[in-house]
Each structure stands twice: as structure tokens, then as C-alpha cells.
Amino acid sequence: MRIGLLTEGGYPYVSGDARLWCDRLVHGLAQHEFDVYALSRSRHQEDEGWIPLPRNVRRVRTAPLWMGEDDEVALGRRARRRFTECFEELAAVLCGVPGASSGSASNAPGETSTSEADRFANALYGLAELAREEGGLTGALRSEAAVRTLERACRAPGAHRTAREARVPDLLTVAAHLESALRPLSLDWYEHDGLGAVDLCHAASGGTAALPGLLARHFTGVPLMVTEYGVRLRTHYLTAPDAPPAVRSLLAAFQGRLAAEAYRRAEVVTAGNTHARRWQERCGAEREKLRTVYPGMNARPFAEVGESPDCADPDTLVWVGRVEPAKDLVSLLHAFAEVRKQSPGTRLRIVGAPAGPEGAAYLGHCRTLAAQLFPDEAEGPHAAGDNPVSFEETGGPELPAAADAYASGAVTVLSSVVEGFPVGLVEAMLCGRATVSTDVGAVVEVIGGTGLVVPPRNPRALAEACVALLRDPERRARLGAAARARALELFTVEQNIEAFHGIYLEIVSRAPVRRDLLDGTGEPLPFAVPAEAHVPVRWTAASPSLAARSGPGRTASRPVRATTPLPAPEGAR
């Protein structure tokens, strides 16, 4: 089959979200073709280039979200009226302005939400149809008329209080974000030689990445599948805490409505863990459509460490990850101070690089705190002091790879206050290490009873759990072995690829045939490649009894296949 893989800020670019699992998926399903439709987030991302692509990637089409060139489309009077009507309805839904039927007292419970979803969908697809007819809407979405339409919706009777408080700078910010998010409306991806030629659209994330899939479904009937390892609406709440209330409210409303529409139109919605699945349900996803597909980890780099559990230093704790405030290394350092009081010989290795300028500043703060909590102690007046906390990065002579970092300690610690799917925790489990983690995100689901879990921002509880494992080597070994077995069963690349392959076949088997496939004479073919062509038949030699019955001058018959594979017609998938 041919899959249209839709990404935003990720695959096939060198850096970005969902790059790794998309690459593993495409390589793992080498028997299928992939068309990649990628939305980039920055010039830097585009300048870094693409990762090497396998042969089954048939083509790649890209479009930037970080810049929008004016399409120079001049809308006529009728087109301007249609744009104003559609954009005004979309803005009204975001501002909470009731429609013609939303405010009626006769509406049954739940009918209002359905009506709002229909209003948003009608406005969205109305804009899409207009963009297709006129050749684009970038200029219209960036126009002063769009800002004034948004302002009217914010000032309309019934609008939310936060929307009514929006000022001109807030309106300009929201309009710019909407123009960027709606930029896929103006792309030429939806014809029969584009997304219309694929058997299935797979959005590798929610939000704007799913919008091309919605439009392909609307215009050509291509089935849609949505995968989220981090729900976009939750990410919006976490990454924009300092934005003005009106901006946060309107953009959250847009993300929520877009997510609900994607969930409603998708055949299957997959989540990377139960935590993300609960968010999807709250955003309107039907439980019957939801599947949990855990991220696939490559277990090979950790196999040697996992099979040699005795190589670890029994007095060392290890933390591995990206250094940023959400990882709460401050609580970890305070917890380690308590650990040192009970086990003075214990050491802590913090392994990881800072995540951006904020992470670099946070790393400097943590270094200062470690120096204050653990002043260097020397064995004598002429010896150099030694701090029990070390800050390191992988790639050096001591820790050439992540597996070496986990191998250096007996217990791996996770101290985060915010976490989605804890990849570092799974790596530690593949290495057969006992773990102590905070109860955030999908940690409990991943651990499944093979490690100790404590409340976040509780240094004392974290310290007690670490000491308990440091003092009990048999318990460490038992938990580490159980963790490795669980990780190999649930979190490998193989199970991830197999799960997606099964879902692909299920969706395509239920989808109606959207185009005719013809043979060389122009007659319709029921299948692009006959199913009988793949029946496994083993060639065998003629038996002696058969040769004897053939008689002199006669040739023994030889078993043949039930059918001979037919050459695939031109254009068949």
C-alpha cells in the first residue's frame, strides 16, 4: 500500500519531533511505499537538511510554517464575502459566540458541543474550498480584514470574558498564529496526483500536521489516522504560560477544536501511553477509535549492559536526560544530600546536555547548588578535594554512549515534575537497572511495578527510595531483571512496527475503493496485484514412483504454482 506520512517539525529533517520513530517505521515497513508531506518550523531546521531516506520513500514534499510568502491572490468581491463569512464563523466558535441553534433552550444535553464542532468544521472546510478555487488564502488570512473580523467576534454578545478582554496586540498575535496554523489550506497537496493518490494518510502528530489529512479526506476521501505521543493541546498549556490570557484562550480553543475535528474524522487514533490517551478522550476522541501503541526503542545498544548486570558500581546513582527545569535536578540534589547522610560513600552522576539557553542557565544553577551542598572534601592537607556529584555528557572517553552511562551506576533516578513518555526510563530498564522515579506522566504505566515511584518535588521520599535500593543488592537485581523483561516485551521497535502495520491493514480493508485500476487492455482489475500471486508454494522434485510411471520417452510432470504472478499494471500500488 502507499501511505502518506504527515509531519510537522520532524521527519525527514535532521532535528525535530517524531523524527526517530518515523524513521524506524518507514524502514520497518519496507514492503510499503511512503509519500512524506512535511511542514517545517524554522529556517535552521531546513538548513540542517534531511536524514538519509530509504528506497520505499517515493517522494517528499515540504512547506514552511515559519514564513509565509504572499500568494498575491486578489480575491474578487464574491470570494471576499465568502472568506469573511467562513472566517467570521471560525472566529465566533473560538470566542464562544453562540450560533443560531446553540443558544436555544430546546437543545438536549451534548447537542451544543456537536453543533459547535459542526460550525468549526463547516468554517474550516469552507476556507479550504475557497483556497482551492482561488489558489490560496495566505494574503487574506494576513490582511487587516481578518484582524477586524477576529475583533468583531471577540466583541460580539456571548463571547467569553477572556476573548472580550483582547486588545489590539493580542488580536495581531492570534491572527498571526491562525495564519500560520491554517497555511496548509493554501497548499496544492490535495489533487489526485498528490495525497489523493495514497491509500492512507498517517498524521505523525496532532495539530497542524493532521490538517492536510483532514483536507485530503474532505476532497478525495482518503482515510486518516492520527498518532500522538504528546497531545498538542497539553503542550500548548505547558509551553505558553506567560502569554496574555486572551491569546492563550483563543489559541487553546483553536487547538482544541482542530484536535476534536481530527479525532472525529480519523478512522483510528493512537496514543503513546494511557496518559496521552486520557487527554485525547477529554478532547473529544471516541473510545472505540483509540489504540495505545507504545514508542519503539532500539534494544540492541543496551543488550550488552542488560546482560551484564554486575558491572555497575553499587554505590553510584545515575541520572540521564536533557538538562532543563522540568527535570527538577534541584530536588534531586537535595535528595542526594539526604542520601549522603545515610550512605556517605555514595556518588551521583548527572549525564546530559542542556536544552537550549534556558537549560544552560539551569545547568549553571545546579552546578552552583552542588558546590554549596557538597563542598569538596580532601583526604589530607595536600590532596585535591572530590565532589560526589559530577556533571557529564555522553561522547567522551568515560561515557562514549548512553548505555555506558546507565552501566556506571546501580540505580537510575528520574526526578521530573513534567514528563510525557519517559524514554530515559525505558533505556534504563533495557539495561536491567533498578529505578527510582517520580509519579508524573506515563511513569507508572511504563514501570509497571518493576521500580520504585515517589511523589514529585519530594526530596525526602526520593532519598528514602534510593537508600532502600542501595542497601539491598538482591532487590536491585530482582527489580532490574523484571524491568528488562518488561521493556523487551512492550517497548521495542518490533512491537511498534507490527502494531502500526496491523492498523494500516485494518483501515485499508474497511476503506472503499476510490479509483479504478486498469490492466493493459483497459479492463478494470479487482486487485492491483492478485492475492494468489503471494500464495507460498514450495517447489519439489519429482518422486521416483512418478518417474517410473512416466515410462520411456516420457517426462515426469513437475508440480507448478497454483497461479503465475501477473505483472503489476502501470500505476498499480
mmCIF file of all heavy atoms in Angstrom, residues 239-267:
data_model
loop_
_atom_site.group_PDB
_atom_site.id
_atom_site.type_symbol
_atom_site.label_atom_id
_atom_site.label_comp_id
_atom_site.label_asym_id
_atom_site.label_seq_id
_atom_site.Cartn_x
_atom_site.Cartn_y
_atom_site.Cartn_z
ATOM 1 N N THR A 239 3.654 25.181 27.352
ATOM 2 C CA THR A 239 4.699 25.996 26.739
ATOM 3 C C THR A 239 4.332 27.465 26.614
ATOM 4 O O THR A 239 5.162 28.254 26.199
ATOM 5 C CB THR A 239 5.040 25.459 25.340
ATOM 6 O OG1 THR A 239 3.838 25.413 24.548
ATOM 7 C CG2 THR A 239 5.628 24.059 25.434
ATOM 8 N N ALA A 240 3.101 27.845 26.916
ATOM 9 C CA ALA A 240 2.715 29.248 26.795
ATOM 10 C C ALA A 240 2.111 29.778 28.091
ATOM 11 O O ALA A 240 1.035 30.372 28.091
ATOM 12 C CB ALA A 240 1.726 29.425 25.650
ATOM 13 N N PRO A 241 2.798 29.591 29.225
ATOM 14 C CA PRO A 241 2.198 30.045 30.482
ATOM 15 C C PRO A 241 2.219 31.551 30.660
ATOM 16 O O PRO A 241 1.421 32.098 31.430
ATOM 17 C CB PRO A 241 3.068 29.353 31.545
ATOM 18 C CG PRO A 241 4.398 29.191 30.884
ATOM 19 C CD PRO A 241 4.102 28.960 29.431
ATOM 20 N N ASP A 242 3.119 32.252 29.971
ATOM 21 C CA ASP A 242 3.267 33.696 30.167
ATOM 22 C C ASP A 242 2.529 34.517 29.114
ATOM 23 O O ASP A 242 2.604 35.751 29.142
ATOM 24 C CB ASP A 242 4.757 34.073 30.147
ATOM 25 C CG ASP A 242 5.541 33.362 31.242
ATOM 26 O OD1 ASP A 242 4.952 33.124 32.312
ATOM 27 O OD2 ASP A 242 6.719 33.037 31.017
ATOM 28 N N ALA A 243 1.847 33.869 28.194
ATOM 29 C CA ALA A 243 1.109 34.603 27.171
ATOM 30 C C ALA A 243 -0.088 35.318 27.801
ATOM 31 O O ALA A 243 -0.620 34.876 28.825
ATOM 32 C CB ALA A 243 0.643 33.656 26.075
ATOM 33 N N PRO A 244 -0.547 36.425 27.228
ATOM 34 C CA PRO A 244 -1.733 37.104 27.754
ATOM 35 C C PRO A 244 -2.927 36.147 27.777
ATOM 36 O O PRO A 244 -3.047 35.255 26.928
ATOM 37 C CB PRO A 244 -1.953 38.251 26.760
ATOM 38 C CG PRO A 244 -0.609 38.487 26.151
ATOM 39 C CD PRO A 244 0.055 37.149 26.093
ATOM 40 N N PRO A 245 -3.838 36.318 28.744
ATOM 41 C CA PRO A 245 -4.982 35.385 28.863
ATOM 42 C C PRO A 245 -5.797 35.256 27.584
ATOM 43 O O PRO A 245 -6.225 34.156 27.218
ATOM 44 C CB PRO A 245 -5.799 35.993 30.003
ATOM 45 C CG PRO A 245 -4.824 36.784 30.804
ATOM 46 C CD PRO A 245 -3.818 37.310 29.824
ATOM 47 N N ALA A 246 -6.025 36.373 26.869
ATOM 48 C CA ALA A 246 -6.825 36.309 25.650
ATOM 49 C C ALA A 246 -6.129 35.470 24.585
ATOM 50 O O ALA A 246 -6.766 34.668 23.877
ATOM 51 C CB ALA A 246 -7.092 37.717 25.123
ATOM 52 N N VAL A 247 -4.822 35.625 24.458
ATOM 53 C CA VAL A 247 -4.072 34.856 23.468
ATOM 54 C C VAL A 247 -4.111 33.371 23.817
ATOM 55 O O VAL A 247 -4.375 32.509 22.957
ATOM 56 C CB VAL A 247 -2.618 35.354 23.387
ATOM 57 C CG1 VAL A 247 -1.791 34.474 22.460
ATOM 58 C CG2 VAL A 247 -2.589 36.796 22.910
ATOM 59 N N ARG A 248 -3.877 33.057 25.079
ATOM 60 C CA ARG A 248 -3.896 31.656 25.497
ATOM 61 C C ARG A 248 -5.262 31.040 25.265
ATOM 62 O O ARG A 248 -5.393 29.910 24.783
ATOM 63 C CB ARG A 248 -3.536 31.536 26.978
ATOM 64 C CG ARG A 248 -2.100 31.852 27.327
ATOM 65 C CD ARG A 248 -1.788 31.388 28.732
ATOM 66 N NE ARG A 248 -1.820 29.946 28.834
ATOM 67 C CZ ARG A 248 -1.962 29.280 29.971
ATOM 68 N NH1 ARG A 248 -2.141 29.929 31.098
ATOM 69 N NH2 ARG A 248 -1.962 27.976 29.982
ATOM 70 N N SER A 249 -6.315 31.776 25.606
ATOM 71 C CA SER A 249 -7.668 31.242 25.483
ATOM 72 C C SER A 249 -8.043 30.979 24.032
ATOM 73 O O SER A 249 -8.551 29.903 23.688
ATOM 74 C CB SER A 249 -8.663 32.211 26.126
ATOM 75 O OG SER A 249 -9.990 31.787 25.921
ATOM 76 N N LEU A 250 -7.787 31.936 23.158
ATOM 77 C CA LEU A 250 -8.181 31.783 21.762
ATOM 78 C C LEU A 250 -7.367 30.703 21.057
ATOM 79 O O LEU A 250 -7.913 29.899 20.284
ATOM 80 C CB LEU A 250 -8.045 33.117 21.029
ATOM 81 C CG LEU A 250 -9.025 34.221 21.477
ATOM 82 C CD1 LEU A 250 -8.677 35.546 20.816
ATOM 83 C CD2 LEU A 250 -10.456 33.824 21.153
ATOM 84 N N LEU A 251 -6.068 30.656 21.312
ATOM 85 C CA LEU A 251 -5.248 29.635 20.667
ATOM 86 C C LEU A 251 -5.548 28.253 21.222
ATOM 87 O O LEU A 251 -5.526 27.253 20.482
ATOM 88 C CB LEU A 251 -3.761 29.972 20.829
ATOM 89 C CG LEU A 251 -3.291 31.231 20.101
ATOM 90 C CD1 LEU A 251 -1.792 31.428 20.278
ATOM 91 C CD2 LEU A 251 -3.644 31.177 18.620
ATOM 92 N N ALA A 252 -5.826 28.165 22.518
ATOM 93 C CA ALA A 252 -6.224 26.873 23.091
ATOM 94 C C ALA A 252 -7.544 26.406 22.497
ATOM 95 O O ALA A 252 -7.737 25.210 22.231
ATOM 96 C CB ALA A 252 -6.319 26.975 24.609
ATOM 97 N N ALA A 253 -8.467 27.344 22.275
ATOM 98 C CA ALA A 253 -9.744 26.987 21.650
ATOM 99 C C ALA A 253 -9.520 26.459 20.237
ATOM 100 O O ALA A 253 -10.152 25.471 19.823
ATOM 101 C CB ALA A 253 -10.673 28.196 21.640
ATOM 102 N N PHE A 254 -8.629 27.098 19.493
ATOM 103 C CA PHE A 254 -8.353 26.627 18.139
ATOM 104 C C PHE A 254 -7.722 25.236 18.156
ATOM 105 O O PHE A 254 -8.139 24.340 17.401
ATOM 106 C CB PHE A 254 -7.437 27.610 17.410
ATOM 107 C CG PHE A 254 -7.004 27.133 16.056
ATOM 108 C CD1 PHE A 254 -7.867 27.192 14.974
ATOM 109 C CD2 PHE A 254 -5.743 26.586 15.864
ATOM 110 C CE1 PHE A 254 -7.485 26.733 13.723
ATOM 111 C CE2 PHE A 254 -5.354 26.118 14.624
ATOM 112 C CZ PHE A 254 -6.227 26.206 13.548
ATOM 113 N N GLN A 255 -6.698 25.040 19.008
ATOM 114 C CA GLN A 255 -6.057 23.737 19.083
ATOM 115 C C GLN A 255 -7.053 22.663 19.506
ATOM 116 O O GLN A 255 -7.043 21.536 18.982
ATOM 117 C CB GLN A 255 -4.877 23.782 20.058
ATOM 118 C CG GLN A 255 -3.726 24.662 19.634
ATOM 119 C CD GLN A 255 -2.956 24.104 18.463
ATOM 120 O OE1 GLN A 255 -3.147 22.954 18.069
ATOM 121 N NE2 GLN A 255 -2.069 24.907 17.888
ATOM 122 N N GLY A 256 -7.919 22.993 20.465
ATOM 123 C CA GLY A 256 -8.906 22.023 20.921
ATOM 124 C C GLY A 256 -9.905 21.672 19.841
ATOM 125 O O GLY A 256 -10.259 20.495 19.663
ATOM 126 N N ARG A 257 -10.396 22.679 19.094
ATOM 127 C CA ARG A 257 -11.359 22.411 18.025
ATOM 128 C C ARG A 257 -10.720 21.613 16.890
ATOM 129 O O ARG A 257 -11.343 20.705 16.333
ATOM 130 C CB ARG A 257 -11.918 23.728 17.481
ATOM 131 C CG ARG A 257 -12.809 24.472 18.448
ATOM 132 C CD ARG A 257 -14.056 23.701 18.743
ATOM 133 N NE ARG A 257 -14.906 24.394 19.698
ATOM 134 C CZ ARG A 257 -15.968 23.859 20.263
ATOM 135 N NH1 ARG A 257 -16.319 22.606 19.977
ATOM 136 N NH2 ARG A 257 -16.688 24.533 21.125
ATOM 137 N N LEU A 258 -9.484 21.952 16.535
ATOM 138 C CA LEU A 258 -8.798 21.226 15.470
ATOM 139 C C LEU A 258 -8.547 19.778 15.879
ATOM 140 O O LEU A 258 -8.723 18.851 15.075
ATOM 141 C CB LEU A 258 -7.487 21.924 15.126
ATOM 142 C CG LEU A 258 -6.677 21.326 13.971
ATOM 143 C CD1 LEU A 258 -7.494 21.301 12.685
ATOM 144 C CD2 LEU A 258 -5.383 22.101 13.762
ATOM 145 N N ALA A 259 -8.147 19.576 17.145
ATOM 146 C CA ALA A 259 -7.927 18.212 17.630
ATOM 147 C C ALA A 259 -9.229 17.413 17.614
ATOM 148 O O ALA A 259 -9.253 16.252 17.185
ATOM 149 C CB ALA A 259 -7.343 18.245 19.038
ATOM 150 N N ALA A 260 -10.315 18.035 18.066
ATOM 151 C CA ALA A 260 -11.599 17.335 18.083
ATOM 152 C C ALA A 260 -12.051 16.957 16.676
ATOM 153 O O ALA A 260 -12.590 15.860 16.452
ATOM 154 C CB ALA A 260 -12.654 18.215 18.759
ATOM 155 N N GLU A 261 -11.817 17.841 15.705
ATOM 156 C CA GLU A 261 -12.195 17.535 14.325
ATOM 157 C C GLU A 261 -11.332 16.405 13.763
ATOM 158 O O GLU A 261 -11.839 15.513 13.059
ATOM 159 C CB GLU A 261 -12.044 18.782 13.458
ATOM 160 C CG GLU A 261 -12.356 18.593 11.988
ATOM 161 C CD GLU A 261 -13.793 18.213 11.708
ATOM 162 O OE1 GLU A 261 -14.644 18.346 12.619
ATOM 163 O OE2 GLU A 261 -14.077 17.775 10.584
ATOM 164 N N ALA A 262 -10.040 16.411 14.075
ATOM 165 C CA ALA A 262 -9.163 15.330 13.614
ATOM 166 C C ALA A 262 -9.580 14.002 14.230
ATOM 167 O O ALA A 262 -9.614 12.971 13.543
ATOM 168 C CB ALA A 262 -7.710 15.649 13.954
ATOM 169 N N TYR A 263 -9.902 14.003 15.527
ATOM 170 C CA TYR A 263 -10.335 12.773 16.175
ATOM 171 C C TYR A 263 -11.662 12.285 15.599
ATOM 172 O O TYR A 263 -11.888 11.087 15.451
ATOM 173 C CB TYR A 263 -10.496 12.987 17.679
ATOM 174 C CG TYR A 263 -9.235 13.380 18.411
ATOM 175 C CD1 TYR A 263 -9.285 14.098 19.602
ATOM 176 C CD2 TYR A 263 -7.978 13.043 17.913
ATOM 177 C CE1 TYR A 263 -8.137 14.459 20.276
ATOM 178 C CE2 TYR A 263 -6.819 13.408 18.577
ATOM 179 C CZ TYR A 263 -6.915 14.120 19.765
ATOM 180 O OH TYR A 263 -5.773 14.475 20.432
ATOM 181 N N ARG A 264 -12.535 13.208 15.267
ATOM 182 C CA ARG A 264 -13.846 12.827 14.759
ATOM 183 C C ARG A 264 -13.757 12.218 13.369
ATOM 184 O O ARG A 264 -14.492 11.273 13.053
ATOM 185 C CB ARG A 264 -14.762 14.060 14.737
ATOM 186 C CG ARG A 264 -16.199 13.741 14.322
ATOM 187 C CD ARG A 264 -17.148 14.868 14.631
ATOM 188 N NE ARG A 264 -16.930 16.037 13.816
ATOM 189 C CZ ARG A 264 -17.908 16.858 13.413
ATOM 190 N NH1 ARG A 264 -19.165 16.602 13.767
ATOM 191 N NH2 ARG A 264 -17.638 17.924 12.694
ATOM 192 N N ARG A 265 -12.876 12.731 12.521
ATOM 193 C CA ARG A 265 -12.778 12.253 11.146
ATOM 194 C C ARG A 265 -11.819 11.082 10.977
ATOM 195 O O ARG A 265 -11.890 10.370 9.968
ATOM 196 C CB ARG A 265 -12.331 13.391 10.235
ATOM 197 C CG ARG A 265 -13.204 14.622 10.284
ATOM 198 C CD ARG A 265 -14.628 14.357 9.870
ATOM 199 N NE ARG A 265 -15.437 15.573 9.878
ATOM 200 C CZ ARG A 265 -16.739 15.593 9.643
ATOM 201 N NH1 ARG A 265 -17.386 14.465 9.393
ATOM 202 N NH2 ARG A 265 -17.412 16.733 9.667
ATOM 203 N N ALA A 266 -10.922 10.882 11.930
ATOM 204 C CA ALA A 266 -9.928 9.809 11.790
ATOM 205 C C ALA A 266 -10.579 8.442 11.975
ATOM 206 O O ALA A 266 -11.525 8.284 12.754
ATOM 207 C CB ALA A 266 -8.801 10.000 12.804
ATOM 208 N N GLU A 267 -10.056 7.468 11.254
ATOM 209 C CA GLU A 267 -10.525 6.098 11.417
ATOM 210 C C GLU A 267 -9.998 5.499 12.716
ATOM 211 O O GLU A 267 -10.721 4.780 13.407
ATOM 212 C CB GLU A 267 -10.059 5.236 10.233
ATOM 213 C CG GLU A 267 -10.562 5.711 8.881
ATOM 214 C CD GLU A 267 -12.062 5.602 8.760
ATOM 215 O OE1 GLU A 267 -12.641 4.651 9.329
ATOM 216 O OE2 GLU A 267 -12.670 6.474 8.111
#
